[in-house]
Amino acid sequence: MSSKNPILRDDIFDRVAVEHVSQPMTINGTIAKSLIAVAITAVFAVIGWRIPSVSQTFAGIAVISAIGLVVVNFLLSWAIRRNPASAPVATPILAVLEGLLIGVITYFFESRYPGIAWKAVTLTLGTFFFLLIGYRTGLIRLSQRVKSV
């Protein structure tokens, strides 16, 4: 597969040590791990939502923390890309931080545009689950063009 995406290089999976792997990667395993990561993100998004609502004084700290979370999220994503073997440890940490960041950002948008958070959550989760079910049941087939994009 040819792609200009640096994460989808042919040698990326060669760098992962496979001595400890007892079974090959499967669709069901990938789906299960994705659902776990989404669940962790959702739980911590709720926590992140509650942080700025505690007090207005704390809201400023939440904004500064959100900027820090963006930097840490970028560094963790970069670390996973550079060392895919670190994914089992780094992915849950990344999911926690992403959830906190999403919660704080969503709180501020909800306070400015009431009702937007519910719509965003419903549409995002609905899209995720319908695409997941569609792919799993075979209703959606991935073409080579879609894979390369």
Side-chain angles (χ1 to χ4, degrees), residues 40-75:
I40 292 170
T41 302
V43 167
F44 280 89
V46 171
I47 294 169
W49 172 280
R50 298 297 302 155
I51 289 173
S53 64
V54 173
S55 73
Q56 291 302 325
T57 305
F58 197 64
I61 296 170
V63 171
I64 293 169
S65 298
I67 294 168
L69 286 174
V70 169
V71 172
V72 172
N73 282 347
F74 174 77
L75 293 175

Side-chain angles (χ1 to χ4, degrees), residues 130-141:
F130 281 117
L131 287 174
L132 192 64
I133 291 167
Y135 178 74
R136 184 66 186 113
T137 60
L139 292 173
I140 299 173
R141 302 224 187 265

Side-chain angles (χ1 to χ4, degrees), residues 89-125:
V89 174
T91 300
I93 296 169
L94 187 62
V96 167
L97 296 176
E98 285 286 339
L100 291 172
L101 180 63
I102 289 169
V104 169
I105 290 171
T106 304
Y107 175 82
F108 286 110
F109 274 101
E110 179 67 22
S111 64
R112 181 149 171 100
Y113 307 104
I116 196 169
W118 176 249
K119 293 173 188 172
V121 168
T122 304
L123 290 173
T124 301
L125 290 178

Side-chain angles (χ1 to χ4, degrees), residues 27-39:
I27 293 292
N28 287 336
T30 303
I31 290 171
K33 289 176 183 175
S34 297
L35 288 173
I36 290 169
V38 168

